[in-house]
Amino acid sequence: DTGVSQNPRHKITKRGQNVTFRCDPISEHNRLYWYRQTLGQGPEFLTYFQNEAQLEKSRLLSDRFSAERPKGSFSTLEIQRTEQGDSAMYLCASSLPVDTQYFGPGTRLTVL
Amino acid sequence: AQKVTQAQTEISVVEKEDVTLDCVYETRDTTYYLFWYKQPPSGELVFLIRRNSFDEQNEISGRYSWNFQKSTSSFNFTITASQVVDSAVYFCALSEAGSNDYKLSFGAGTTVTVRA
């Protein structure tokens, strides 16, 4: 039984570049969540999917951010025109409805 | 408004000491869930426990125990006879049934350092 996986684990990019992260949830989980964690803080909710439908987006998710879950399995989070303020750990979690969320190892983004 | 408050930023103990982490939450929902997660230096959030709002029974799992008190909106976590491997950041989190999204609201975390 594999857990949640995320790729890449680390990403260093220059300001203004686009980046894309991937999350593979636990196979039977139909809910998938994205969170962002900055240094010294707890994770903050960004968005979530139930199957392929994106049901909620946080105000933290600016127009430069987009997330997809095309077939209700893996999800991608894209950031366009990255800014230094986007530097953070991006965490993905999956769950069954009304159940515990299990987290992946995260993707650490550094924007230079 | 901050829904979960972890007042202790850092705690340092010597191995074998007990350590208690405080968590105070705020919600208007009658149905909600409380969690503790551990984040070791590797960065992955590891699930420790989940309690629902209707179950105030305290729980013990090995060296870990949890004290849930609705009267004071607290869900505290105690590590008994701490070990170096317990060094990590610990997060308390809340999810509310009313919104149907069950997204987690995290506290700022408490960094626990256990010295040999």
Side-chain angles (χ1 to χ4, degrees), chain B residues 7-47:
Chain B
Q8 305 145 305
T9 305
E10 293 184 32
I11 300 176
S12 181
V13 297
V14 176
E15 211 169 15
K16 298 185 183 177
E17 286 185 353
D18 298 348
V19 56
T20 295
L21 310 181
D22 298 334
C23 172
V24 174
Y25 62 91
E26 181 181 332
T27 180
R28 293 182 181 178
D29 280 23
T30 54
T31 303
Y32 54 89
Y33 301 86
L34 295 164
F35 302 80
W36 278 94
Y37 286 87
K38 173 182 179 180
Q39 190 173 44
S42 60
E44 183 166 350
L45 279 166
V46 178
F47 165 72

Side-chain angles (χ1 to χ4, degrees), chain B residues 63-75:
Chain B
R63 296 184 297 105
Y64 295 170
S65 62
W66 291 269
N67 183 355
F68 177 23
Q69 293 194 337
K70 285 178 76 170
S71 61
T72 56
S73 297
S74 65
F75 185 44

Side-chain angles (χ1 to χ4, degrees), chain A residues 33 35 37 56 98 100-101, chain B residues 37 39 50 101-102 104:
Chain A
Y33 297 80
Y35 293 84
Q37 184 179 20
E56 185 174 338
V98 200
T100 299
Q101 291 177 36
Chain B
Y37 286 87
Q39 190 173 44
R50 173 183 190 249
D101 53 28
Y102 295 94
L104 294 169

